[in-house]
Amino acid sequence: MSQINRREFLKLVATASSAAVLTIPGTARAGAKGKVVVIGGGFGGATAAKYLRMMGGASVDVTLIEPNKTYTSCPLSNEVISGHREIKSLQVGYDGLKKHGVNVLHDTVTKVDPVKKTVTTQGGKTLAYDALVMSPGVEFNYAGVEGDSEELSNTVIPHAYKAGPQTLLLKKQLESMPDGGKFIIAVPPGPFRCPPGPYERASQVADYLTKKGKTKSKVILLDANDSFSKKGLFEQAWKNMFGYQAGGMLEWVPGASDGKVIKVDAKTMTAYTNFGEHKGDVLNIIPPHTAGKIAKDAGLTNAKGWCEVVPMTMESTVHKDIYPIGDACVAGEMPVYPMPKSAHMAMTQAKVAVGAILAKMNGQAAPVPFYVNTCYSTINPEYGFSVVHVYRVTDNKFVYVTDAGGVSPVTLGTKEAPQPVPPIQRKLEAEYCVGWFNNVMADAFA
Amino acid sequence: MRYRVILGVVLAGLLGSAHAEDSIEALANTCNNCHGVNGVSAGQSMPSIGGLPEAYLKNVMLEWKTGARYSATMGRLIKGYSDEQIAALAAFFSKKPWTPSAQTTDPKLVALGKKVSARCASCHGETGASSDGETPSLNGQWALYMELELKKYRDDAVAMPNKQMRKAAQKLSEEEVNAAAAFYASQKK
């Protein structure tokens, strides 16, 4: 019997590992048994529920708890405001998940007991879980802007940052704005959901006003931050289309130039910054936000109000067997490459959590996680661009893969001799935006 | 001897865990966001990829990675994947059944497309159901996706590597591009 030395041993292990990754079929999943409760029926929660059943089989009992019978997608809801899309096209019910065998409970979770591993609902139900997926989205902190309130946001100064009635209210306000009117968007301090959202909205609104001939109007972004997602791409489009930085329709006021809105008066329709005041015909005040209330109540949030997770599994760093996903979490190399709060990101996080939950039910190690984000923004149906993020997990840390990812090119050629991007690029990404949307809706809800 | 025992344990762990196969499936799940479960796309600008030839899928992804093939978005994504992962994904999706997508097409355009696409048949097959192991099937592929691809092949400003496809596409008018796409989109088999 020959001895195996250390070097041979390591070589064999390495060979076994790579072979295993690519060829060895696993069979262990079939036996997975357990109860999973999913809180929240947005992109993250719906994907988790569907994939638990799809990959875990019939022996995984999945209950999704969501108060609303219809979900309205936030992605592409700016196109409702500008009139390029009906809100109905963003809506979906939960029949698709039921077909996968997910129990859908239209109720609100009032309490999570991470020790007894139960959740209690407003309707008086108590459900036990082996694993809990926490996908509650965000909660708006109206107190973050003095004078703002939930009631005012529903009636006079909508945030429209959760798609639904406020989206339609903001659309109506835009449509009735006179030529020469002022449309003000107040951007909260980051992190907030959909990082390019406010800037895409400003673009869509400016495009609407331009095409309606209301060219004397102004669209003003009052921003608590000093930079933003896809800045170079937005600014290029704004310069070409809306006279940006040339006294035209669209203006961006960064935090450093007193852009942060701290107070609002809905009666006089005035937004106040530290040193200035801005009267608007439309005030789109987006309040700062944090993880959804139930995540906070369950003790899952950090001092800043967000859930922190273990990169390999998406399990909470606070409570075992709870997996916070989607807009409610923070993860990544803060503050440089945090995972963006996007639908796409929430869905890949959901898939990682599902892999980890099923592996644990089978007494196995969590599979290698893959995190990917793709996020399209459009100025109008002919002009779009994107940002891509790919993350790896190394030494239990999220690592942004710098070889990949990044934004669509602003220009081609060299820095010294830039060449314009072929027009087909913007057209393709505008089309891909719609294709992406139809696919994520199907992947999460059908 | 000691290492042998450890090796046995490690191997048993690797072979017996869900880790192994799940890696490909977990990887492929990230593609589902835009290309659908089993590679059946629900978005008209995004191609279905399940059941396309393994060699074609692998080749296209590698060309995106090196930049030999123009892409608006995919290149930035695929640079995050190793060549081994790309090969595994190509193998994974090629084994799924090809699923033509039901879609509405204009019969007049389809009729014109039948004529226009005669030149495509030698590689793609008369109905777009190709069988040479390298050419992608087109029957029931999304019309909009095929229009956009043909426009990429026609556009001199972007790098598309297949000379034959470039030459063929550049002979087509805008209407003929849409017609060819409509014809293949309408084919169910």
Side-chain angles (χ1 to χ4, degrees):
Chain A
M1 202 198 271
S2 67
Q3 291 279 327
I4 298 177
N5 67 26
R6 188 166 181 276
R7 186 177 296 169
E8 281 170 349
F9 165 73
L10 289 175
K11 219 162 104 184
L12 268 165
V13 171
T15 312
S17 309
S18 62
V21 166
L22 298 180
T23 58
I24 307 294
T27 49
R29 265 199 332 247
K33 261 204 176 88
K35 277 185 195 299
V36 186
V37 173
V38 180
I39 298 179
F43 282 105
T47 302
K50 171 179 165 177
Y51 274 74
L52 278 162
R53 294 285 301 177
M54 211 171 75
M55 302 190 68
S59 55
V60 185
D61 183 73
V62 182
T63 303
L64 178 124
I65 308 176
E66 158 64 41
N68 300 307
K69 295 203 167 148
T70 304
Y71 178 70
T72 307
S73 161
C74 265
L76 274 67
S77 65
N78 283 331
E79 296 187 7
V80 173
I81 296 164
S82 62
H84 288 304
R85 181 175 276 277
E86 295 288 327
I87 198 159
K88 259 200 137 143
S89 72
L90 304 180
Q91 293 175 330
V92 64
Y94 294 93
D95 287 351
L97 293 182
K98 288 177 194 162
K99 278 186 199 144
H100 285 281
V102 174
N103 310 307
V104 179
L105 181 60
H106 293 296
D107 204 339
T108 301
V109 176
T110 49
K111 194 178 172 227
V112 174
D113 187 330
V115 181
K116 286 188 191 150
K117 294 174 62 168
T118 57
V119 301
T120 308
T121 69
Q122 215 164 47
K125 287 207 167 74
T126 297
L127 289 89
Y129 67 79
D130 298 304
L132 174 66
V133 177
M134 175 68 83
S135 188
V138 299
E139 187 194 8
F140 296 102
N141 173 24
Y142 295 97
V145 179
E146 192 189 328
D148 197 4
S149 69
E150 186 173 358
E151 199 206 326
L152 284 171
S153 77
N154 282 326
T155 50
V156 190
I157 46 173
H159 52 70
Y161 230 56
K162 178 177 169 60
Q166 289 199 18
T167 312
L168 296 175
L169 175 60
L170 191 60
K171 173 188 166 68
K172 219 173 131 194
Q173 291 181 340
L174 170 64
E175 285 167 352
S176 43
M177 194 172 92
D179 189 17
K182 230 181 227 180
F183 191 108
I184 291 173
I185 303 173
V187 186
F192 51 85
R193 77 162 28 152
C194 188
Y199 315 95
E200 182 190 56
R201 179 172 292 174
S203 312
Q204 292 269 342
V205 166
D207 194 66
Y208 168 89
L209 291 167
T210 305
K211 283 172 183 159
K212 287 284 167 188
K214 295 184 176 180
T215 49
K216 281 178 245 151
S217 308
K218 293 270 182 200
V219 182
I220 300 171
L221 281 154
L222 295 176
D223 201 332
N225 310 282
D226 289 330
S227 190
F228 56 90
S229 171
K230 305 174 188 164
K231 184 165 178 277
L233 289 157
F234 277 115
E235 290 189 319
Q236 180 185 51
W238 294 348
K239 278 178 195 163
N240 290 336
M241 297 183 212
F242 312 124
Y244 178 64
Q245 291 175 345
M249 182 184 285
L250 198 152
E251 285 173 34
W252 173 62
V253 186
S257 307
D258 193 32
K260 185 182 178 185
V261 170
I262 53 165
K263 189 177 136 183
V264 65
D265 185 338
K267 279 202 184 103
T268 59
M269 291 295 281
T270 309
Y272 294 87
T273 58
N274 276 306
F275 304 105
E277 49 182 87
H278 301 260
K279 238 176 119 63
D281 295 86
V282 179
L283 290 186
N284 174 209
I285 308 291
I286 306 168
H289 34 285
T290 56
K293 185 170 181 298
I294 190 67
K296 238 184 276 181
D297 293 348
L300 297 169
T301 50
N302 65 16
K304 289 183 174 164
W306 303 102
C307 302
E308 290 181 27
V309 293
V310 178
M312 273 303 285
T313 57
M314 289 303 295
E315 191 172 26
S316 163
T317 54
V318 182
H319 291 305
K320 284 242 164 291
D321 297 313
I322 300 184
Y323 297 79
I325 58 170
D327 292 353
C329 350
V330 283
E333 300 158 84
M334 307 289 277
V336 193
Y337 296 118
M339 284 194 186
K341 301 185 185 305
S342 74
H344 201 103
M345 195 78 248
M347 290 172 69
T348 52
Q349 289 170 344
K351 291 169 187 180
V352 169
V354 166
I357 290 167
L358 294 178
K360 191 166 178 181
M361 281 179 182
N362 287 303
Q364 292 157 351
V368 174
F370 299 102
Y371 295 99
V372 174
N373 180 50
T374 310
C375 158
Y376 291 99
S377 300
T378 58
I379 308 292
N380 59 43
E382 300 297 312
Y383 195 108
F385 40 75
S386 66
V387 64
V388 168
H389 303 84
V390 182
Y391 298 88
R392 277 198 201 104
V393 178
T394 307
D395 297 332
N396 205 31
K397 273 192 189 135
F398 289 107
V399 178
Y400 177 69
V401 180
T402 47
D403 291 345
V407 294
S408 311
V410 178
T411 53
L412 297 178
T414 59
K415 225 179 178 182
E416 294 74 31
Q419 296 290 320
V421 171
I424 195 173
Q425 168 84 28
R426 307 289 186 237
K427 168 70 177 163
L428 283 168
E429 292 207 291
E431 295 285 0
Y432 293 164
C433 180
V434 181
W436 169 87
F437 171 72
N438 290 329
N439 271 307
V440 287
M441 287 292 264
D443 196 24
F445 294 96
Chain B
M1 187 66 197
R2 190 161 56 97
Y3 283 121
R4 220 177 194 188
V5 174
I6 302 171
L7 174 65
V9 171
V10 171
L11 277 176
L14 282 168
L15 302 183
S17 76
H19 188 112
E21 186 205 27
D22 279 356
S23 294
I24 300 172
E25 214 165 350
L27 190 63
N29 280 347
T30 65
C31 310
N32 294 2
N33 284 36
C34 295
H35 294 283
V37 173
N38 294 328
V40 182
S41 169
Q44 304 187 357
S45 59
M46 306 273 191
S48 288
I49 56 172
L52 290 183
E54 182 175 352
Y56 168 77
L57 289 173
K58 187 176 150 189
N59 187 32
V60 168
M61 285 190 273
L62 289 174
E63 284 174 348
W64 281 330
K65 195 175 172 183
T66 60
R69 177 183 290 258
Y70 165 78
S71 70
T73 313
M74 276 304 299
R76 281 173 279 143
L77 270 163
I78 213 68
K79 285 192 177 88
Y81 295 78
S82 71
D83 290 0
E84 291 73 23
Q85 286 173 327
I86 285 172
L89 284 172
F92 179 89
F93 281 107
S94 70
K95 287 184 187 79
K96 302 293 173 190
W98 173 249
T99 312
S101 292
Q103 51 198 302
T104 354
T105 41
D106 173 356
K108 268 189 209 158
L109 212 51
V110 170
L112 174 61
K114 192 175 162 73
K115 278 186 219 154
V116 169
S117 63
R119 77 191 73 191
C120 318
S122 61
C123 294
H124 288 282
E126 263 177 51
T127 62
S130 75
S131 54
D132 68 6
E134 294 206 6
T135 311
S137 291
L138 304 176
N139 52 321
Q141 181 61 280
W142 288 111
L144 177 58
Y145 160 73
M146 289 190 284
E147 279 172 32
L148 295 170
E149 281 305 292
L150 278 170
K151 282 171 190 168
K152 276 156 72 174
Y153 279 114
R154 269 158 43 109
D155 194 330
D156 278 330
V158 299
M160 293 296 276
N162 189 318
K163 228 183 194 170
Q164 218 177 337
M165 273 301 297
R166 289 193 74 103
K167 266 173 106 178
Q170 280 161 0
K171 285 187 191 131
L172 301 178
S173 69
E174 182 94 2
E175 193 194 13
E176 287 170 334
V177 161
N178 298 344
F183 169 73
Y184 284 122
S186 70
Q187 301 301 306
K188 291 176 182 69
K189 279 183 188 168

